[in-house]
Amino acid sequence: MPSTGRSTGARAVLAVVAVGALALTAACGGGSKSDDKPSASRSSGSGSIPQTVQLPKLSGQKLKVTAVWTGDEQKNFTKVLDEFSRRTGADVSFVPSGDDMASFVGSKVAGGDPPDVAMLQQPGVLNEFAEKGWLKPLSGEVTAQLDKNFAKGWQELGSHGGKQYGVYFKAADKSLVWYNTKIFDAAGAKEPRTWADFLHTAQVIADFGVSPVSVAGADGWTLTDWFENIYLSQAGQEKYDQLTKHAIKWTDPSVKDALTTLGQLLGKKELLAGGNEGAIGTQFPDSVTQTFLGGDKAKAAMVFEGDFAAVNIAGAKAQLGKDAKVFPFPAVGAKPPVVTGGDVGVALKDGQAAQALLTFLASPDAAAIWAHQGGFLSANKNLDLAVYPDDVFRGIAKSLVAAGDDFRFDMSDQAPASFGAKPGQGEWKDLQDFLKNPGDVAGTQAKLESDAAKAFKN
C-alpha cells in the first residue's frame, strides 16, 4: 500500500549498505521533435537533473494531474511537474484525489472532465479503467522510453489487452527487514539469510530480553505482505501468479504451507513485540518507530516492510546505515522473494501534453528529481544511483534494478479491492484473525477462499 524472485547475488547488495556511490550511465533518449535537445546534466535546487529526453513545446496548454500523494510526497512530485513545465511551457496543476482514486476518477469521468494524467496505486485499478475504456494507449515516444529504461516485467504491469497504458514512475521494494543495530550488537545477533536463520535470530534476541519482531497487525495490508513474501519464496512464481488470479483456491496445499510457515513466527508470542495482542493493536508507523526509538532501549529489534519505512525510521531519530540497517526478506524456499509495489501514470485524455508528461516520467530525468529528495525508489535502470541521498537507498535501488524481470507485484494490490484492499474485510481481516489465532490454518484458508470467491466471482 501508503510481478518474478530476485537472485541471491542481486539481493546480497542490501546486506552491505555502506557501499560507495554507485553510478549507472544515463542513456540519451529519443522523443518528440523539439528545440529542447538532450544535454548534459544541469544543477538546480533539486540537485543534478539529467536531460536525456526531448520534449515538445507546449506553451499555452493546460494539464491536470491527480495522485493520492499529500505532504512531502506531494511537494516532491510537484517539483517533478515544475521541471516538466520549465522544459515544455505547459501549465500543470496538481489535483489531489483523496485515498479512493477509483471513485475520484469515476466521478470526474461521469462529469465529462477527467484529469489528463492519473497516478494509480494498483494494477487492478489500471485494468478496471482500461476495461471501461477510460485510458488512452501510450504514444511511441513513451513506449520508446519504457523499452530503453524499464525491464519487461514493469512494462507488462502497465499493459492491458495487449496495449501499453502505464508508466511505473515510483516503485517500492516490499521484501526488506529493517533492524536496530544496537540491539543486534548487544544480543550478538547476525543478519539471517534463510527463514530458519530468521527464527533462530529472533530467538537469540528474545533470550537476550528484547522482543525480536514488531508486527503492524492493526493494518491488515502488512499481514498480506508477510504472507506474499513467504508464499512467493516457498511456492514459487507460477503458484504465486495462479493464486493472484484466483486460478487456484486459497484451500490449496501451497497456502497451507505458507500459513504454517508464517505461524512459526506468529504462533510464538514471545517473538512479537507486545505478543499477539500487542501486534494486533499496532499500526504501521508505530511498528517502525518502536523498533528504533530509544536506541538499545527500543521495544523491538526488527520490523518488516518496504523501503518507505525509512520515513518512519527518520522520525524515530535513527540514522540509516548506522542505527538502522536492512537485509533482504529471508529465503523460505530456494531463493529470497522480491515483492514490489508502485505507482503507475496513465493518460485519461487524448493530447500531446499528457503523452509528453508520461514520456518525461518514463525517463531518468524525472526520477532523478524525486530520488534526490529522498523517500523515493525507481525501477528505471538508467537512473544514476548517485542521485539517491544515502548508501542505504543506493543499495536498495541497485538491487531492485538488478532483479530485472525477476520479481512479482504485490498480490493483494492485484486483487479486487473488496478482497485485497479494504480494512475490516477480505484478506486483511482474515489474516488479522489468523494473527489472533495462528493455529487455525484450515479455518483461515476456508475464510480466505470464501472471500476470494465472492470478490473474483468464480
Side-chain angles (χ1 to χ4, degrees):
M1 299 292 308
S3 300
T4 19
R6 183 179 317 176
S7 69
T8 302
R11 301 232 62 200
V13 70
L14 288 174
V16 187
V17 296
V19 294
L22 299 165
L24 295 177
T25 302
C28 288
S32 303
K33 292 181 179 180
S34 168
D35 295 330
D36 189 8
K37 296 180 180 179
S39 64
S41 298
R42 68 180 183 85
S43 294
S44 77
S46 296
S48 183
I49 303 174
Q51 295 194 43
T52 69
V53 62
Q54 292 180 338
L55 298 172
K57 294 303 183 183
L58 301 169
S59 299
Q61 295 196 37
K62 294 185 177 181
L63 197 65
K64 288 183 180 179
V65 182
T66 190
V68 300
W69 297 319
T70 59
D72 287 341
E73 287 185 312
Q74 181 179 331
K75 290 177 184 176
N76 290 333
F77 183 56
T78 299
K79 292 178 181 179
V80 176
L81 299 179
D82 288 345
E83 175 66 11
F84 176 77
S85 296
R86 189 200 69 79
R87 295 193 190 184
T88 63
D91 181 5
V92 184
S93 59
F94 179 87
V95 182
S97 66
D99 290 335
D100 195 341
M101 173 67 75
S103 296
F104 176 82
V105 172
S107 67
K108 296 297 183 182
V109 170
D113 186 29
D116 297 271
V117 171
M119 306 301 295
L120 311 179
Q121 291 183 296
Q122 297 170 319
V125 175
L126 182 148
N127 293 330
E128 178 187 337
F129 285 7
E131 288 173 0
K132 291 179 178 179
W134 293 355
L135 302 186
K136 308 303 178 184
L138 301 182
S139 68
E141 287 80 8
V142 188
T143 56
Q145 287 295 309
L146 289 177
D147 288 341
K148 183 180 301 180
N149 299 319
F150 289 87
K152 288 294 182 183
W154 289 100
Q155 296 182 51
E156 290 169 0
L157 279 170
S159 67
H160 180 82
K163 294 182 179 181
Q164 196 73 45
Y165 290 105
V167 173
Y168 270 90
F169 174 61
K170 190 174 188 289
D173 186 334
K174 305 184 79 173
S175 298
L176 304 172
V177 181
W178 303 85
Y179 68 95
N180 183 317
T181 58
K182 290 184 174 66
I183 294 176
F184 259 56
D185 290 345
K190 305 296 183 183
E191 291 185 6
R193 294 188 177 185
T194 68
W195 183 255
D197 291 342
F198 178 76
L199 294 176
H200 173 73
T201 297
Q203 192 61 57
V204 166
I205 295 168
D207 293 343
F208 176 69
V210 177
S211 296
V213 185
S214 179
V215 174
D219 290 318
W221 60 268
T222 64
L223 300 179
T224 71
D225 290 348
W226 274 104
F227 173 83
E228 288 159 8
N229 275 273
I230 289 172
Y231 190 83
L232 177 57
S233 182
Q234 188 173 54
Q237 297 169 2
E238 184 177 352
K239 284 280 191 181
Y240 187 97
D241 292 341
Q242 291 172 343
L243 189 61
T244 296
K245 300 171 184 176
H246 201 226
I248 58 174
K249 295 185 176 182
W250 284 79
T251 49
D252 190 85
S254 62
V255 177
K256 176 183 178 180
D257 292 343
L259 289 173
T260 300
T261 298
L262 180 55
Q264 292 172 346
L265 171 67
L266 303 185
K268 297 190 71 173
K269 63 181 182 180
E270 67 270 22
L271 300 184
L272 309 180
N276 297 72
E277 185 176 340
I280 201 66
T282 301
Q283 296 181 328
F284 169 67
D286 296 330
S287 74
V288 181
T289 55
Q290 74 177 5
T291 305
F292 298 98
L293 193 62
D296 59 357
K297 305 299 182 185
K299 295 181 179 179
M302 295 181 282
V303 62
F304 152 71
E305 254 312 335
D307 55 274
F308 43 82
V311 174
N312 307 98
I313 292 172
K317 310 300 181 185
Q319 183 179 342
L320 290 181
K322 181 182 177 182
D323 307 312
K325 291 188 178 182
V326 62
F327 58 83
F329 194 97
V332 183
K335 56 186 177 181
V338 185
V339 177
T340 66
D343 298 272
V344 58
V346 297
L348 291 152
K349 283 185 177 179
D350 287 316
Q352 188 181 28
Q355 296 293 335
L357 177 58
L358 291 172
T359 301
F360 184 56
L361 295 181
S363 75
D365 306 21
I369 299 169
W370 196 339
H372 177 78
Q373 305 301 317
F376 177 87
L377 191 65
S378 174
N380 190 313
K381 61 188 178 184
N382 289 312
L383 176 64
D384 185 347
L385 298 182
V387 301
Y388 287 99
D390 56 64
D391 289 338
V392 173
F393 264 79
R394 289 185 195 108
I396 294 171
K398 184 176 188 293
S399 185
L400 181 67
V401 169
D405 295 328
D406 206 18
F407 70 95
R408 284 294 185 268
F409 203 89
D410 185 296
M411 184 186 294
S412 60
D413 280 354
Q414 297 184 70
S418 60
F419 179 65
K422 295 285 187 180
Q425 67 182 67
E427 190 179 1
W428 292 20
K429 183 180 186 302
D430 296 340
L431 290 179
Q432 286 175 320
D433 289 343
F434 180 65
L435 172 58
K436 296 175 184 176
N437 184 13
D440 188 17
V441 172
T444 301
Q445 284 186 269
K447 287 190 290 184
L448 285 164
E449 174 54 29
S450 175
D451 290 336
K454 293 175 186 176
F456 283 90
K457 296 180 171 57
N458 61 8

